[in-house]
Amino acid sequence: MENADKNRSSAAVFILLGFSDYPYLQVPLFLLFLTIYVVSVMGNVGMIVIIKINPKLHTPMYFFLKHLSFVDFCYSTIVTPKLLENLIVEDRSISFKACITQFSTGVACVITEMVMLAVMSYDRFVAICYPLLYTVSMSPKCCALLVTVAYSWGIISSIVLTYSLLVLSFCETKIINNFVCEYSVFLFASCSDKHFSETIFSITANLNTFSSLIIILTSYLFICITILKMHSASGRYKAFSTCASHLTAVTIFYGTILFLYCIPNTKNSWLVVKVGSVFYAVVIPMLNPLIYSLRNNHVMETVMGMQIWKIFPAPRLKCT
């Protein structure tokens, strides 16, 4: 009986409706999301390259930012291509295996980003509150360990959540009013008891969201106390400016998550959920490199230097 349920689940097919309720918006939405995706890929890959080639950016803060850009690139690549495909094709079906793969890899990226943002807040806390100990506390070995923890915890959480879905049985075909394989998609499509899966999801989601948020808020509480104790106005401005980009990214990221948490589960809320999910999954990966690059002189200098090099290439020397 158990093997029969597993075989039926593996043969299940989901139909992701996406934004098919608005046929007149299919082409404009495709062009919009394609533009966002291209900007996101170029921004995140460009950020990684810039940090790699500029020696001034070989610091712990940019080491973490490089990995944050990599996670954003992976997440947008996991979600957006399928979204674009569903906007231009009639067949919006996705197999159970493809859907569970998209879900597991997407969850790993999201939770890794949560931990990475918490790690970056800790980095700012040490840099501002204990500047004399910064080089020792945030040594290359420590930074590598923190990044390893972020990726490892993201993978472990993804495995736990994926397992909680694999124990369910699914109907052969299910129409899903969404554009991405989220946890709610599998619960809606399941034909078996969902109590175990819902409990695991609630524990894992709340643990990751609120524990990382507590670390961030605690770090910024001590940062604010330290900044307020500074006597120099220029020193306070400089200290705050080093946190502004990260604080903006955290506000957008967690603001969107908490907004989606608060939406009531009703039929009329599906459009709001889809719009919020698009912002969370597609737009935020594009915003992060823009937020960090526009507020950083070293990054902008590197970008301008690369552009000037393309416009005015170095002269070739003629051999005589």
Side-chain angles (χ1 to χ4, degrees):
M1 184 68 180
E2 184 177 352
N3 290 331
D5 289 339
K6 289 183 178 179
N7 291 334
R8 187 173 66 172
S9 296
S10 61
V13 175
F14 302 148
I15 300 175
L16 300 175
L17 293 181
F19 296 93
S20 59
D21 294 338
Y22 309 93
Y24 55 91
L25 291 178
Q26 299 296 295
V27 174
L29 287 176
F30 175 83
L31 296 175
L32 174 63
F33 294 147
L34 178 61
T35 302
I36 293 175
Y37 179 62
V38 171
V39 173
S40 177
V41 170
M42 292 179 62
N44 286 293
V45 173
M47 182 66 73
I48 295 171
V49 172
I50 289 171
I51 294 173
K52 190 79 173 176
I53 65 176
N54 191 340
K56 294 181 180 179
L57 303 180
H58 293 174
T59 62
M61 181 176 69
Y62 292 102
F63 175 75
F64 297 133
L65 178 57
K66 179 175 66 176
H67 287 278
L68 181 68
S69 296
F70 174 72
V71 173
D72 281 335
F73 165 75
C74 292
Y75 189 49
S76 61
T77 302
I78 290 167
V79 174
T80 311
K82 186 61 180 178
L83 170 61
L84 293 173
E85 178 186 342
N86 286 346
L87 287 170
I88 58 174
V89 299
E90 292 294 331
D91 183 11
R92 297 181 174 89
S93 63
I94 181 172
S95 67
F96 173 80
K97 291 181 179 179
C99 203
I100 199 72
T101 300
Q102 185 190 64
F103 168 78
S104 60
T105 52
V107 166
C109 290
V110 171
I111 297 179
T112 299
E113 181 157 352
M114 285 185 180
V115 181
M116 201 74 71
L117 289 172
V119 167
M120 293 174 75
S121 69
Y122 172 74
D123 170 72
R124 293 298 84 203
F125 160 73
V126 177
I128 294 174
C129 299
Y130 301 98
L132 297 179
L133 299 176
Y134 182 69
T135 55
V136 177
S137 300
M138 303 304 295
S139 63
K141 185 177 180 180
C142 179
C143 292
L145 178 62
L146 291 172
V147 167
T148 302
V149 169
Y151 283 116
S152 300
W153 186 249
I155 294 172
I156 291 171
S157 299
S158 175
I159 292 173
V160 171
L161 289 174
T162 303
Y163 171 76
S164 71
L165 293 176
L166 292 176
V167 298
L168 299 173
S169 60
F170 298 91
C171 305
E172 292 184 0
T173 303
K174 199 73 174 180
I175 298 175
I176 308 297
N177 193 10
N178 209 325
F179 68 91
V180 64
C181 294
E182 295 181 330
Y183 204 85
S184 58
V185 168
F186 294 95
L187 294 181
F188 178 77
S190 174
C191 303
S192 58
D193 181 49
K194 310 176 183 68
H195 178 71
F196 172 75
S197 300
E198 289 174 339
T199 303
I200 294 297
F201 173 75
S202 178
I203 293 173
T204 305
N206 289 321
L207 174 65
N208 284 289
T209 301
F210 293 106
S211 61
S212 59
L213 194 55
I214 287 172
I215 293 173
I216 293 170
L217 293 176
T218 303
S219 299
Y220 275 104
L221 175 63
F222 285 106
I223 288 172
C224 289
I225 293 173
T226 302
I227 292 176
L228 292 175
K229 289 181 180 180
M230 294 179 179
H231 300 291
S232 171
S234 61
R236 288 195 296 268
Y237 174 78
K238 184 178 180 181
F240 178 76
S241 63
T242 62
C243 302
S245 297
H246 178 258
L247 193 57
T248 303
V250 166
T251 302
I252 295 173
F253 182 81
Y254 281 95
T256 307
I257 290 178
L258 296 177
F259 171 75
L260 291 174
Y261 262 107
C262 296
I263 296 176
N265 188 17
T266 62
K267 184 177 180 180
N268 295 329
S269 67
W270 273 109
L271 177 60
V272 181
V273 171
K274 283 191 282 189
V275 172
S277 299
V278 165
F279 188 83
Y280 173 73
V282 180
V283 179
I284 288 180
M286 177 195 69
L287 292 179
N288 281 342
L290 296 177
I291 291 170
Y292 280 98
S293 61
L294 292 176
R295 294 189 60 88
N296 189 279
N297 292 331
H298 292 315
V299 174
M300 293 306 296
E301 287 173 2
T302 305
V303 173
M304 293 303 296
M306 293 172 66
Q307 291 176 347
I308 292 172
W309 177 263
K310 291 178 181 179
I311 298 172
F312 302 105
R316 296 182 179 178
L317 298 177
K318 294 183 179 181
C319 297
T320 56

Short mmCIF file of all heavy atoms in Angstrom, two decimals, residues 19 33 75 79 83 177-180 182 184 256 259-260 263 269-285:
data_model
loop_
_atom_site.label_atom_id
_atom_site.label_comp_id
_atom_site.label_asym_id
_atom_site.label_seq_id
_atom_site.Cartn_x
_atom_site.Cartn_y
_atom_site.Cartn_z
N PHE A 19 -0.30 33.49 -13.61
CA PHE A 19 -1.12 34.67 -13.89
C PHE A 19 -2.01 34.45 -15.12
O PHE A 19 -2.32 35.40 -15.85
CB PHE A 19 -0.22 35.89 -14.11
CG PHE A 19 0.57 36.27 -12.89
CD1 PHE A 19 1.85 35.77 -12.69
CD2 PHE A 19 0.02 37.11 -11.94
CE1 PHE A 19 2.57 36.11 -11.56
CE2 PHE A 19 0.74 37.46 -10.81
CZ PHE A 19 2.01 36.96 -10.61
N PHE A 33 9.25 40.51 -16.29
CA PHE A 33 10.00 39.54 -15.50
C PHE A 33 11.31 39.14 -16.18
O PHE A 33 12.30 38.86 -15.50
CB PHE A 33 9.15 38.29 -15.24
CG PHE A 33 7.95 38.55 -14.37
CD1 PHE A 33 6.78 37.84 -14.54
CD2 PHE A 33 8.00 39.53 -13.38
CE1 PHE A 33 5.67 38.08 -13.74
CE2 PHE A 33 6.90 39.78 -12.57
CZ PHE A 33 5.73 39.06 -12.76
N TYR A 75 18.74 31.49 -6.50
CA TYR A 75 17.30 31.48 -6.21
C TYR A 75 16.50 32.03 -7.38
O TYR A 75 15.47 31.45 -7.78
CB TYR A 75 17.02 32.28 -4.95
CG TYR A 75 15.60 32.16 -4.47
CD1 TYR A 75 15.00 30.91 -4.33
CD2 TYR A 75 14.85 33.28 -4.16
CE1 TYR A 75 13.69 30.78 -3.90
CE2 TYR A 75 13.53 33.17 -3.72
CZ TYR A 75 12.97 31.92 -3.59
OH TYR A 75 11.66 31.79 -3.17
N VAL A 79 13.60 29.95 -9.79
CA VAL A 79 12.18 30.32 -9.86
C VAL A 79 11.79 30.98 -11.19
O VAL A 79 10.79 30.60 -11.80
CB VAL A 79 11.84 31.27 -8.69
CG1 VAL A 79 10.41 31.78 -8.82
CG2 VAL A 79 12.04 30.56 -7.37
N LEU A 83 8.64 30.55 -14.31
CA LEU A 83 7.62 31.60 -14.36
C LEU A 83 7.50 32.17 -15.76
O LEU A 83 6.39 32.36 -16.28
CB LEU A 83 7.98 32.70 -13.36
CG LEU A 83 7.16 34.00 -13.43
CD1 LEU A 83 5.69 33.73 -13.18
CD2 LEU A 83 7.70 35.02 -12.43
N ASN A 177 -3.15 27.32 -7.94
CA ASN A 177 -3.25 28.75 -8.23
C ASN A 177 -2.00 29.48 -7.75
O ASN A 177 -2.04 30.31 -6.85
CB ASN A 177 -4.51 29.33 -7.56
CG ASN A 177 -4.84 30.72 -8.08
OD1 ASN A 177 -4.24 31.18 -9.06
ND2 ASN A 177 -5.76 31.38 -7.43
N ASN A 178 -0.86 29.14 -8.36
CA ASN A 178 0.41 29.76 -8.00
C ASN A 178 1.36 29.63 -9.19
O ASN A 178 1.03 28.98 -10.19
CB ASN A 178 1.01 29.09 -6.76
CG ASN A 178 1.86 30.03 -5.94
OD1 ASN A 178 2.54 30.89 -6.50
ND2 ASN A 178 1.85 29.86 -4.63
N PHE A 179 2.54 30.23 -9.09
CA PHE A 179 3.50 30.16 -10.18
C PHE A 179 4.79 29.46 -9.77
O PHE A 179 5.68 29.27 -10.60
CB PHE A 179 3.85 31.58 -10.66
CG PHE A 179 4.62 32.40 -9.65
CD1 PHE A 179 6.00 32.41 -9.65
CD2 PHE A 179 3.94 33.14 -8.70
CE1 PHE A 179 6.70 33.15 -8.71
CE2 PHE A 179 4.64 33.89 -7.78
CZ PHE A 179 6.01 33.88 -7.77
N VAL A 180 4.89 29.07 -8.50
CA VAL A 180 6.09 28.45 -7.99
C VAL A 180 5.70 27.33 -7.04
O VAL A 180 4.62 27.35 -6.44
CB VAL A 180 6.97 29.50 -7.24
CG1 VAL A 180 6.26 30.04 -6.01
CG2 VAL A 180 8.33 28.93 -6.87
N GLU A 182 5.70 26.15 -3.93
CA GLU A 182 5.86 26.47 -2.52
C GLU A 182 5.30 25.34 -1.66
O GLU A 182 4.66 24.41 -2.16
CB GLU A 182 5.15 27.78 -2.18
CG GLU A 182 5.74 29.00 -2.87
CD GLU A 182 5.03 30.26 -2.50
OE1 GLU A 182 3.81 30.20 -2.20
OE2 GLU A 182 5.68 31.32 -2.51
N SER A 184 2.85 25.41 0.42
CA SER A 184 1.39 25.36 0.39
C SER A 184 0.87 24.62 -0.84
O SER A 184 -0.23 24.04 -0.79
CB SER A 184 0.83 26.79 0.41
OG SER A 184 1.31 27.54 -0.69
N THR A 256 8.89 41.58 3.52
CA THR A 256 8.08 40.79 2.59
C THR A 256 7.65 39.47 3.20
O THR A 256 6.50 39.04 3.04
CB THR A 256 8.88 40.53 1.30
OG1 THR A 256 9.36 41.77 0.76
CG2 THR A 256 8.02 39.83 0.26
N PHE A 259 5.00 40.09 5.77
CA PHE A 259 3.78 40.48 5.06
C PHE A 259 3.04 39.24 4.56
O PHE A 259 1.81 39.13 4.70
CB PHE A 259 4.12 41.41 3.90
CG PHE A 259 2.95 41.70 3.00
CD1 PHE A 259 1.95 42.56 3.39
CD2 PHE A 259 2.86 41.09 1.75
CE1 PHE A 259 0.86 42.82 2.56
CE2 PHE A 259 1.79 41.35 0.91
CZ PHE A 259 0.78 42.21 1.32
N LEU A 260 3.77 38.29 3.97
CA LEU A 260 3.14 37.06 3.48
C LEU A 260 2.61 36.20 4.62
O LEU A 260 1.60 35.51 4.47
CB LEU A 260 4.15 36.27 2.64
CG LEU A 260 4.54 36.90 1.30
CD1 LEU A 260 5.65 36.09 0.63
CD2 LEU A 260 3.35 37.02 0.38
N ILE A 263 -0.98 37.49 5.68
CA ILE A 263 -2.12 37.45 4.75
C ILE A 263 -3.05 36.30 5.13
O ILE A 263 -2.61 35.16 5.25
CB ILE A 263 -1.64 37.26 3.30
CG1 ILE A 263 -0.81 38.47 2.86
CG2 ILE A 263 -2.82 37.08 2.36
CD1 ILE A 263 -0.23 38.32 1.48
N SER A 269 -7.32 36.28 -1.32
CA SER A 269 -5.94 36.67 -1.01
C SER A 269 -4.93 36.06 -1.98
O SER A 269 -3.75 36.36 -1.89
CB SER A 269 -5.59 36.24 0.42
OG SER A 269 -5.55 34.83 0.53
N TRP A 270 -5.38 35.21 -2.90
CA TRP A 270 -4.44 34.51 -3.78
C TRP A 270 -3.64 35.49 -4.64
O TRP A 270 -2.44 35.32 -4.83
CB TRP A 270 -5.19 33.52 -4.69
CG TRP A 270 -5.39 32.18 -4.07
CD1 TRP A 270 -6.56 31.64 -3.62
CD2 TRP A 270 -4.38 31.21 -3.77
NE1 TRP A 270 -6.34 30.41 -3.08
CE2 TRP A 270 -5.02 30.11 -3.17
CE3 TRP A 270 -3.00 31.17 -3.96
CZ2 TRP A 270 -4.33 28.98 -2.75
CZ3 TRP A 270 -2.31 30.04 -3.55
CH2 TRP A 270 -2.96 28.97 -2.95
N LEU A 271 -4.29 36.53 -5.16
CA LEU A 271 -3.59 37.49 -6.00
C LEU A 271 -2.53 38.24 -5.18
O LEU A 271 -1.42 38.44 -5.66
CB LEU A 271 -4.58 38.48 -6.61
CG LEU A 271 -3.96 39.59 -7.48
CD1 LEU A 271 -3.19 38.99 -8.66
CD2 LEU A 271 -5.04 40.56 -7.98
N VAL A 272 -2.88 38.63 -3.96
CA VAL A 272 -1.93 39.32 -3.10
C VAL A 272 -0.75 38.41 -2.78
O VAL A 272 0.41 38.84 -2.77
CB VAL A 272 -2.62 39.80 -1.80
CG1 VAL A 272 -1.63 40.54 -0.90
CG2 VAL A 272 -3.80 40.69 -2.12
N VAL A 273 -1.03 37.15 -2.52
CA VAL A 273 0.04 36.18 -2.22
C VAL A 273 0.96 36.02 -3.42
O VAL A 273 2.19 36.00 -3.27
CB VAL A 273 -0.57 34.81 -1.82
CG1 VAL A 273 0.51 33.76 -1.75
CG2 VAL A 273 -1.29 34.92 -0.49
N LYS A 274 0.39 35.93 -4.62
CA LYS A 274 1.21 35.77 -5.82
C LYS A 274 2.07 37.00 -6.09
O LYS A 274 3.25 36.88 -6.43
CB LYS A 274 0.32 35.46 -7.03
CG LYS A 274 -0.17 34.03 -7.08
CD LYS A 274 -0.81 33.68 -8.40
CE LYS A 274 -2.20 34.20 -8.50
NZ LYS A 274 -2.92 33.67 -9.69
N VAL A 275 1.49 38.19 -5.90
CA VAL A 275 2.27 39.42 -6.10
C VAL A 275 3.38 39.51 -5.07
O VAL A 275 4.53 39.86 -5.39
CB VAL A 275 1.35 40.66 -6.03
CG1 VAL A 275 2.17 41.94 -6.04
CG2 VAL A 275 0.36 40.66 -7.19
N GLY A 276 3.06 39.19 -3.81
CA GLY A 276 4.08 39.19 -2.76
C GLY A 276 5.17 38.17 -3.03
O GLY A 276 6.35 38.42 -2.80
N SER A 277 4.78 36.99 -3.51
CA SER A 277 5.75 35.94 -3.82
C SER A 277 6.65 36.35 -4.98
O SER A 277 7.84 36.03 -4.99
CB SER A 277 5.02 34.63 -4.15
OG SER A 277 4.26 34.19 -3.05
N VAL A 278 6.08 37.04 -5.98
CA VAL A 278 6.89 37.54 -7.10
C VAL A 278 7.93 38.53 -6.59
O VAL A 278 9.12 38.46 -6.96
CB VAL A 278 6.00 38.20 -8.17
CG1 VAL A 278 6.83 39.03 -9.13
CG2 VAL A 278 5.24 37.14 -8.95
N PHE A 279 7.51 39.44 -5.74
CA PHE A 279 8.45 40.41 -5.18
C PHE A 279 9.53 39.71 -4.38
O PHE A 279 10.72 40.04 -4.48
CB PHE A 279 7.70 41.41 -4.30
CG PHE A 279 8.55 42.55 -3.82
CD1 PHE A 279 8.76 43.65 -4.64
CD2 PHE A 279 9.14 42.54 -2.57
CE1 PHE A 279 9.56 44.71 -4.22
CE2 PHE A 279 9.93 43.58 -2.14
CZ PHE A 279 10.15 44.67 -2.96
N TYR A 280 9.14 38.71 -3.62
CA TYR A 280 10.06 37.97 -2.76
C TYR A 280 11.04 37.11 -3.55
O TYR A 280 12.23 37.06 -3.24
CB TYR A 280 9.22 37.11 -1.81
CG TYR A 280 9.99 36.15 -0.95
CD1 TYR A 280 10.75 36.59 0.11
CD2 TYR A 280 9.93 34.78 -1.21
CE1 TYR A 280 11.44 35.70 0.91
CE2 TYR A 280 10.61 33.89 -0.41
CZ TYR A 280 11.36 34.35 0.64
OH TYR A 280 12.04 33.47 1.43
N ALA A 281 10.53 36.45 -4.59
CA ALA A 281 11.35 35.49 -5.33
C ALA A 281 12.06 36.06 -6.54
O ALA A 281 13.11 35.55 -6.94
CB ALA A 281 10.47 34.30 -5.78
N VAL A 282 11.51 37.12 -7.14
CA VAL A 282 12.05 37.64 -8.39
C VAL A 282 12.70 39.02 -8.22
O VAL A 282 13.79 39.27 -8.73
CB VAL A 282 10.93 37.72 -9.47
CG1 VAL A 282 11.48 38.26 -10.78
CG2 VAL A 282 10.30 36.34 -9.67
N VAL A 283 12.01 39.91 -7.49
CA VAL A 283 12.48 41.29 -7.40
C VAL A 283 13.61 41.46 -6.40
O VAL A 283 14.60 42.15 -6.68
CB VAL A 283 11.30 42.23 -7.05
CG1 VAL A 283 11.78 43.67 -6.93
CG2 VAL A 283 10.20 42.12 -8.10
N ILE A 284 13.49 40.85 -5.22
CA ILE A 284 14.51 41.02 -4.18
C ILE A 284 15.90 40.59 -4.65
O ILE A 284 16.89 41.30 -4.38
CB ILE A 284 14.10 40.29 -2.89
CG1 ILE A 284 12.95 41.04 -2.22
CG2 ILE A 284 15.27 40.19 -1.92
CD1 ILE A 284 12.46 40.42 -0.93
N PRO A 285 16.07 39.45 -5.35
CA PRO A 285 17.41 39.11 -5.85
C PRO A 285 17.99 40.16 -6.79
O PRO A 285 19.22 40.26 -6.92
CB PRO A 285 17.17 37.78 -6.59
CG PRO A 285 16.01 37.18 -5.91
CD PRO A 285 15.12 38.34 -5.56
#
